[in-house]
Amino acid sequence: MRKLRHFHILGANVGEVLDEFNERRGDFRVHEADIVNVQVRSPKGHRIETLRGTEEAQVEVLIFYWAED
């Protein structure tokens, strides 16, 4: 049975978040045709780890997709 699932990802910018998601999409077993919606919004006071240390997150990305369970 298919279920609607989502990934919630915080990042420095949208491009980096989507690039990383696309690189790892196979690990998550998410096919492009299964993606229903992508939402981008401003995060509320979240910090993230980067190569430069801890920084304030600039974007919050939600990716909704259909999954087989």
Side-chain angles (χ1 to χ4, degrees), residues 9-68:
I9 310 162
L10 297 168
N13 68 58
V14 175
E16 286 181 9
V17 170
L18 294 179
D19 286 346
E20 182 176 343
F21 175 78
N22 281 326
E23 287 175 11
R24 299 184 60 204
R25 195 165 33 98
D27 298 339
F28 304 135
R29 296 185 299 170
V30 175
H31 303 284
E32 189 173 339
D34 295 330
I35 296 173
V36 176
N37 190 320
V38 177
Q39 295 179 5
V40 178
R41 48 189 178 185
S42 297
K44 306 262 192 286
H46 294 285
R47 299 194 59 80
I48 58 171
E49 287 291 324
T50 67
L51 297 175
R52 298 174 300 274
T54 304
E55 296 180 2
E56 196 73 25
Q58 299 300 310
V59 296
E60 180 178 16
V61 179
L62 291 144
I63 301 172
F64 293 88
Y65 65 96
W66 287 112
E68 296 289 337

